[in-house]
Amino acid sequence: MFCKILLVFCLSFSCYISDANAGSSECLPRRTKYGLVCVCTATHCDYLENPQPNDNEVVVVSSSKEGLRFAVSNLRFGENSTITKSNPLGSSAEEKEEFKNAAVIVDSGQTFAQLLLNTTKILTSRLTSNGPLELQVDRAVEYQKITGFGGAVTGTVSYLLELLDQQLQDHIFKSYYHKDGLGFNLLRTPIGGCDFDMAPWAYNEEPRDDPKLSNFTKLDPHDELKVAHLKRLKSVSNLDDLKIMAAAWSPPPWMKSNGVWSGFGVLKTEYYQAWADYHLRFIELMDAKNMPIWAISTGNEPLNGIAFFFFVHFMSLGWIPKNQAIWLNDFLGPTIRNSKYKDVLIFGNDDQRFSFPTWFNRMNSTRPGVLNYLDGFAVHWYWDEVFAPSLMDLTLKQMPDKLLLNTESCIGDKPWQTHGPELGSWERGEQYAVDFYII
């Protein structure tokens, strides 16, 4: 969640950040029906040297719909600047693109991150305006600390990576997770299968009715492949501290009231402890592979198995706040906190904004004090255009000691949207940026 402020600031300047390396290289342009993209191959990928501002400066890295790619310019605090950059990837070699940036800073001693955080209205209006940008900093106002930036590794990601040679895989890993690239440090991965897998699956599908999880003694080949990819990611990205968050979509069907992967189904009460042990077992097995789990959640989108089963046909497990409070307070919380892995963070809800803060208030009314087991809240973005960000403000006002992470967002989930990538789509980038900034 916290990283997204930077993305919007960049977009306000038509900016995208690419992987950094020892040197820069030219973009290999390709036009698609949605826009212009730079092609990355095993032997060539466009990189950007990591520009560093001098004292009293802001470095702006700009891209445009028509072809500017990572054009670097420097702005000085207290000065109005107009910069003209050539647009070599535009419709003609002679085409120029002029853009104006103004920086009027009240306190130039403020850090760059703090400077960005004080510009909500200005940056939002900047998305639809070509006027100058005025930044004013109030040192007395403090905001959240940044937990990190991240992406996801699912079964589909592993499948697609295996279709590429090692050089291309390395480009992908470095572009996202190298400290000179996007610098991601968070990663979400499913426990078992998810809707971004080739088929539904879970640990200990057989034997059935087995609360001791006797067949859950090693990682499944699906996860062995993920671990291999994550080890390579950490190696080529020089990343030691990869914060992995794990979340389960569904237990094996024999634990569920409906006995199938999706539909209206909840966890059978006789398996409450087994489902808690299931999470701990995954943490143990990942740690044995030198892939420690930083955090887990109480389960992906619990309302899918209760309220939205007519529309959701992928793996799910339904919860209502009352039952989830009992499971967290009496089973999952004690199981994790009384184990070797007591410091693993637990995030609650992992669902849409419209369930905040009511979900947690109802949990607490069932088991007073249950929220003490939660280190933070996980939220998804899919109906944010309908439900206001004030719901998140209210949640954090009630429980200011909790972390807040946006753990899932993608485009193409609605029936009227393209189900898949739109390579070069500026509009999709703007949707991400605007939504992330106003979370």
Side-chain angles (χ1 to χ4, degrees):
M1 167 239 176
F2 306 110
C3 66
K4 295 154 189 171
I5 295 164
L6 179 59
L7 294 179
V8 173
F9 180 82
C10 290
L11 192 59
S12 71
F13 288 104
S14 300
C15 161
Y16 290 98
I17 306 297
S18 178
D19 182 25
N21 206 351
S24 60
S25 59
E26 295 297 323
C27 169
L28 297 180
R30 177 183 297 171
R31 285 199 176 274
T32 74
K33 62 182 293 187
Y34 301 108
L36 188 69
V37 297
C38 297
V39 178
C40 181
T41 69
T43 58
H44 177 92
C45 222
D46 55 312
Y47 290 101
L48 171 72
E49 294 181 8
N50 191 14
Q52 297 295 324
N54 296 317
D55 291 342
N56 209 39
E57 280 188 345
V58 175
V59 174
V60 179
V61 182
S62 302
S63 295
S64 71
K65 289 183 181 180
E66 291 305 317
L68 279 180
R69 285 298 181 267
F70 316 129
V72 177
S73 56
N74 295 72
L75 302 177
R76 292 187 63 81
F77 293 134
E79 295 180 359
N80 291 338
S81 303
T82 300
I83 307 106
T84 301
K85 294 289 184 182
S86 62
N87 193 354
L89 305 182
S91 57
S92 71
E94 301 300 319
E95 184 177 352
K96 300 285 186 178
E97 179 162 309
E98 183 177 278
F99 53 97
K100 297 181 179 180
N101 300 312
V104 182
I105 306 304
V106 174
D107 185 347
S108 61
Q110 194 73 321
T111 66
F112 189 51
Q114 289 170 315
L115 177 131
L116 298 180
L117 285 163
N118 198 36
T119 59
T120 307
K121 294 181 180 179
I122 299 172
L123 292 181
T124 303
S125 64
R126 177 67 174 160
L127 293 174
T128 57
S129 171
N130 291 320
L133 174 67
E134 182 175 289
L135 304 178
Q136 295 186 350
V137 176
D138 183 351
R139 293 180 69 111
V141 179
E142 296 182 353
Y143 296 87
Q144 307 101 318
K145 293 182 178 180
I146 295 175
T147 298
F149 303 69
V153 171
T154 64
T156 301
V157 170
S158 291
Y159 171 80
L160 293 174
L161 285 171
E162 284 298 291
L163 299 180
L164 307 176
D165 59 32
Q166 189 64 67
Q167 293 93 329
L168 269 175
Q169 290 184 31
D170 289 351
H171 277 312
I172 292 173
F173 297 147
K174 292 170 64 177
S175 294
Y176 285 105
Y177 282 89
H178 196 280
K179 64 181 178 64
D180 292 329
L182 289 179
F184 282 7
N185 66 323
L186 300 178
L187 184 142
R188 187 177 186 236
T189 195
I191 305 176
C194 71
D195 50 324
F196 278 79
D197 259 281
M198 307 303 289
W201 69 277
Y203 283 98
N204 218 109
E205 292 182 48
E206 299 290 342
R208 297 175 59 85
D209 305 321
D210 176 27
K212 293 185 178 181
L213 305 176
S214 59
N215 200 27
F216 190 179
T217 58
K218 61 182 180 179
L219 289 180
D220 187 272
H222 295 86
D223 284 334
E224 290 280 6
L225 182 58
K226 289 178 195 172
V227 166
H229 288 148
L230 293 181
K231 286 182 177 179
R232 183 69 182 181
L233 180 155
K234 293 177 68 174
S235 174
V236 301
S237 300
N238 296 323
L239 180 63
D240 294 325
D241 185 20
L242 177 62
K243 291 180 168 58
I244 301 175
M245 182 182 196
W249 268 243
S250 172
W254 54 264
M255 285 192 188
K256 298 175 61 178
S257 61
N258 62 351
V260 293
W261 293 115
S262 60
F264 184 91
V266 300
L267 189 67
K268 294 179 180 179
T269 56
E270 60 264 36
Y271 296 127
Y272 273 25
Q273 184 59 54
W275 188 226
D277 293 339
Y278 185 101
H279 285 72
L280 180 60
R281 190 74 55 86
F282 181 78
I283 294 171
E284 292 170 341
L285 292 175
M286 288 291 283
D287 186 54
K289 295 292 184 177
N290 198 30
M291 284 292 156
I293 298 299
W294 168 70
I296 60 173
S297 84
T298 51
N300 182 75
E301 297 184 347
L303 287 174
N304 284 348
I306 294 292
F308 303 117
F309 54 90
F310 286 115
F311 311 103
V312 173
H313 302 293
F314 53 78
M315 298 173 64
S316 61
L317 176 64
W319 288 104
I320 60 174
K322 174 183 176 181
N323 292 345
Q324 192 171 81
I326 295 170
W327 178 65
L328 174 60
N329 189 80
D330 300 356
F331 299 92
L332 179 66
T335 296
I336 300 299
R337 297 295 177 244
N338 294 326
S339 74
K340 173 184 175 182
Y341 303 97
K342 60 181 182 298
D343 293 328
V344 170
L345 304 184
I346 303 177
F347 283 78
N349 193 262
D350 223 353
D351 211 330
Q352 315 305 325
R353 177 190 285 171
F354 54 67
S355 58
F356 287 68
T358 303
W359 186 273
F360 302 105
N361 293 336
R362 291 183 176 177
M363 286 182 69
N364 203 50
S365 65
T366 300
R367 284 288 195 274
V370 63
L371 300 184
N372 292 331
Y373 281 113
L374 295 181
D375 299 282
F377 307 130
V379 64
H380 298 183
W381 84 327
Y382 298 103
W383 295 102
D384 285 5
E385 66 272 21
V386 178
F387 298 93
S390 57
L391 292 170
M392 308 311 301
D393 296 334
L394 181 58
T395 303
L396 291 178
K397 184 177 181 180
Q398 292 181 10
M399 294 161 280
D401 60 323
K402 306 298 185 185
L403 296 170
L404 177 64
L405 290 180
N406 188 322
T407 51
E408 185 176 315
S409 54
C410 62
I411 303 178
D413 59 298
K414 307 296 191 303
W416 56 87
Q417 295 174 334
T418 302
H419 292 180
E422 292 185 356
L423 295 179
S425 171
W426 204 261
E427 289 72 24
R428 283 195 166 184
E430 289 176 342
Q431 288 179 56
Y432 276 112
V434 171
D435 187 86
F436 291 165
Y437 185 67
I438 63 174
I439 188 174

